Amino acid sequence: MSEATSVANGAPVEAWLLQGGRLVDPSTATDMPQDLLLVAGQVLAVADPGTLSAAAAEHGAATLDCAGLIVAPGLIDIHVHLREPGQTWKETIASGTRAAAAGGFTTVVAMPNTVPVIDTPAWASWLQAPERGAAISVLPMAAATVGSMGETLTDYAALRAAGAVGVTDDGKPIGVAGVGDRIMRDALELAARCGLPVSQHAEDTRMTRGASMNAGALAFRMGLRGMSVESERSLVERDIALVRQVSRSLAGEGFTPHLHVQHISTRDALELVRGAKQEGLHVTCEVMPHHFALNESALAGYNTFAKMNPPLRSEADRLAMLEGLLDGTVDCIATDHAPHAAFEKEQEFEKAPNGITGLETALGLSLRILHGEHGMPLAKVLALLSWAPAQLLALAGRGTLAAGARADVVVFDPAATWHFNARAALSKSKNSPFDGWAMQGRVRWTLCGGQIVFEQGPA
Amino acid sequence: MPGGFAHDPLPGSLLRIEDLGLADISEILALASELESEDPLRRAFRLAKRRVALLFYESSTRTRTSFELAAKALGADTTLISSKSSSIEKGESLKDTGLTLRALGAEAIILRNSFSGAPWLLERATGLPVLNAGDGMHQHPSQALLDLRTMLRVLRGGTTDITEDLLEGVTITICGDILHSRVARSNALLLPRLGARVLLCGPAQLLPEIAASLGEGIAIERDLDRALAQSDVVMMLRIQAERLAGLHIDLEAYRTGFQLNEDRMEKYPALWLMHPGPMIRGLEIADAAADGPRSLIEEQVRHGLAVRMALVARALGAGSLQ
């Protein structure tokens, strides 16, 4: 694999003609052969095959031959851990975004649980500064409370002005420890006034002390303490009740609170989200590929690469995630990319940290499982990975290839299957349970802002 | 759908009781008998000067001593590393401790660890056979084997010929802190495979309903008297104070409901009593029961030595009968 040849000879290429591909753009319901002209970091034109040659020549565009390939909006992952600042032995913004580019992503939303926590405009700006060396766009999600300690709200308006696209205390549920429900209600209200979602890690941690896997028969047999379905369900229920309250109290002022349920993993919690949507509340949720690809049986042999929070659940829960994706209850796919060094995962199961990498396997698993095995239309899979998360976070000009949008594009061979090799991954960390797994759909080029940020030859 | 990574145990390892087939168990018990009755001087040539490490992260009296004496009885050199007074105290990982022992010539490691699943990590890291001497709340497979040998002596004339109907008609009650007990899990997963019925007994806090889902042939009976009335053997377990994690147990109610006392021993005159130790006298067990004629507690310890000789011999590839 090689990267970023577009700047290899000095001046970056300013214009690209992506020719001969099948353009799948869920934002415009396009799925047909179309050429795409990118100029100065934007989509200049989308048109029938062969009709953009003159315009391309005028802009001195270089050509990418996309015959047999899908051309789609660059993927967007609204839940990643880039570990910088503070834990750069696991990942850096530079390494994590290179892994993302290899996975077809052009925008990632970085969680604030770094060291220190991203809870000020200054840190939010730091994260986005060119000095970080990001290969693609990094948007911060800021801490919902100071230091993610659950006691005092951060300055949402200022954080938004500094580029934050939402607030969360990811990993530390808001309004469980500390001052309780009130802080979550306040967060929903302030975020609504500032036009930001509150992204919640839905786990009642009072029920999950010392637990390291899904509660149930397998946990009992393995001698591990379990995290119950109830610990997720009850917090989602509490949060939806708060959204209902705040929706009423703000209705007169024209603000609507938005609750985003992170990495939903249980049928029961998903059912609550389904109900909230039917009720007309602004509640959204994301599902991780590992929660529709794996169930708790992947913990066999106390595999710490199958340890994450929320944990891998029962087969019934896995099937419910698939159902929610297929019926539209699930708003988007995100990865919860959570890199950890080898020495951290090579520990006793209960001591090992939670989390797995995900950026380089999300597209391959989604295409294989959702499209290949469950018949989800390709455009729907791509929407869950681009247009839907862009809408969810109101990211203008992203997740679409309409004229004037950012020139963020992924070009992949939908028919190619390949096998993920964790050791060859671009992430600094290799903690993936999908090592050796067959993947469908091989990325050929990822362009971000009109620059090639990843490319590899045909299989 | 693919599961986790492959976890077939190495030959000679014993990580959990399910990994042994009935033929393996027959072989281990037969070897135990042979080694037990062998001339000690001859026996000491079996593993003469070979190296076995005992790596103990939790305190232990019976298991540690019997494994150590078992290895020595076969002529092996043993070394004991405990979490106190070793570099584990300085933060050395289980992996690095294992690699160090391997570099020092250990050919097998006997591990006790407070984390469930730790033996898998050690086996993967070292490539050496590992004998699980108790991992967290998970399993204690050598205990299940010595308990089986004890039961077979009193119920089946000491046979070593293990079949799937060998214990048909036999009921064993396991009473006490099932939730935290690796002994309970190991026995409950073994005995039904030989046709026995296992009744689990204890208060809800220490015996969740989910325990009955461990496998076939396992049921919950919360009334100790009703359980004992059906049982040939009762295994009493202590409350594991070190693993309670905030649970509060009403000890007075516990004694009334779940103590094996003189009255209960008299009421069920054919009942055999077992206890893996350590006992907390006056709590789950009364003196009269522990010291009475139907107590097999000390005999269990003796069977432990024999079974562990067989397991150490098997771990070092000296497990075939001569």
Side-chain angles (χ1 to χ4, degrees), chain A residues 216-217 220-225 293 295 297-298 300-303 315 318 346-348 350-351 437, chain B residues 1-5 7 18 94-95 115-117 120-121 124 137-138 180 185 210-211 213-214 243:
Chain A
F220 186 85
R221 187 177 178 130
M222 292 179 75
L224 296 171
R225 297 176 199 270
N295 64 28
S297 69
Y302 296 86
N303 180 2
E315 179 64 1
R318 184 184 80 91
E346 273 190 318
Q347 293 193 81
E348 294 84 339
E350 288 160 281
K351 279 165 102 175
W437 272 45
Chain B
M1 195 183 61
F5 42 44
H7 59 286
E18 306 95 292
L94 177 58
K95 172 183 168 171
F115 290 100
S116 297
W120 277 261
L121 172 64
R124 277 198 295 270
M137 310 191 298
H138 175 235
H180 301 111
R185 284 175 179 76
I210 200 84
S213 70
L214 264 179
R243 296 189 224 276

Side-chain angles (χ1 to χ4, degrees), chain A residues 92-436:
Chain A
T92 63
I93 291 171
S95 66
T97 53
R98 270 160 190 77
F105 290 93
T106 53
T107 299
V108 292
V109 174
M111 291 296 122
N113 64 336
T114 46
V115 184
V117 168
I118 305 301
D119 60 0
T120 63
W123 276 113
S125 302
W126 184 92
L127 208 69
Q128 301 166 83
E131 292 77 21
R132 302 289 85 75
I136 61 163
S137 289
V138 176
L139 304 176
M141 190 158 291
T145 65
V146 174
S148 287
M149 297 303 284
E151 285 167 6
T152 312
L153 296 185
T154 51
D155 186 345
Y156 293 3
L159 287 164
R160 187 192 159 133
V165 295
V167 291
T168 184
D169 284 344
D170 183 35
K172 292 184 174 179
I174 307 162
V176 172
V179 299
D181 293 6
R182 184 179 60 74
I183 193 82
M184 182 59 176
R185 192 170 52 235
D186 291 351
L188 284 164
E189 185 177 324
L190 182 59
R193 292 181 187 282
C194 296
L196 293 172
V198 177
S199 185
Q200 174 76 308
H201 173 112
E203 174 193 354
D204 189 333
T205 48
R206 291 166 297 197
M207 299 183 198
T208 57
R209 273 188 209 116
S212 56
M213 68 173 287
N214 185 41
L218 185 63
F220 186 85
R221 187 177 178 130
M222 292 179 75
L224 296 171
R225 297 176 199 270
M227 311 173 84
S228 63
V229 165
E230 182 61 13
S231 65
E232 178 170 290
R233 193 205 67 82
S234 62
L235 202 64
V236 170
E237 183 175 52
R238 194 278 313 256
D239 287 346
I240 289 173
L242 292 174
V243 168
R244 194 178 292 122
Q245 272 181 32
V246 175
S247 293
R248 283 196 198 116
S249 65
L250 291 183
E253 300 175 62
F255 296 115
T256 306
H258 176 190
L259 169 70
H260 179 64
V261 182
Q262 297 183 336
H263 43 49
I264 203 161
S265 67
T266 63
R267 178 177 52 190
D268 291 4
L270 191 61
E271 198 49 49
L272 291 173
V273 170
R274 195 174 274 129
K277 284 173 185 252
Q278 281 160 5
E279 190 184 332
L281 300 174
H282 194 186
V283 176
T284 56
C285 69
E286 66 196 21
V287 165
M288 279 46 197
H290 49 265
H291 284 131
F292 65 74
L294 296 171
N295 64 28
E296 61 189 350
S297 69
L299 272 69
Y302 296 86
N303 180 2
T304 59
F305 287 0
K307 182 183 178 187
M308 67 284 289
N309 183 9
L312 296 177
R313 300 283 189 181
S314 67
E315 179 64 1
D317 284 319
R318 184 184 80 91
L319 294 174
M321 297 306 106
L322 281 170
E323 191 190 333
L325 286 157
L326 290 162
D327 74 13
T329 305
V330 174
D331 294 271
C332 71
I333 295 169
T335 68
D336 199 3
H337 179 78
H340 293 292
F343 74 88
E344 296 170 304
K345 280 292 198 180
E346 273 190 318
Q347 293 193 81
E348 294 84 339
F349 190 86
E350 288 160 281
K351 279 165 102 175
N354 286 309
I356 61 169
T357 59
L359 286 164
E360 293 168 78
T361 49
L363 179 63
L365 287 170
S366 297
L367 289 174
R368 171 183 153 185
I369 296 170
L370 299 178
H371 178 59
E373 294 169 13
H374 290 86
M376 182 184 281
L378 195 67
K380 175 73 195 288
V381 178
L382 294 172
L384 286 166
L385 285 160
S386 58
W387 177 234
Q391 285 181 296
L392 197 152
L393 292 181
L395 306 177
R398 296 176 197 261
T400 171
L401 294 175
R406 283 176 54 94
D408 291 352
V409 188
V410 59
V411 181
F412 65 95
D413 179 350
T417 57
W418 54 285
H419 289 86
F420 178 61
N421 176 1
R423 272 160 304 162
L426 296 186
S427 170
K428 263 195 176 185
S429 293
K430 317 299 176 190
N431 51 310
S432 171
F434 300 114
D435 190 29

Side-chain angles (χ1 to χ4, degrees), chain B residues 58 112 136 138-140 180-186 243:
Chain B
E58 282 183 347
R112 167 162 292 189
H138 175 235
Q139 281 208 9
H140 194 355
H180 301 111
S181 174
R182 51 201 177 206
V183 175
R185 284 175 179 76
S186 306
R243 296 189 224 276

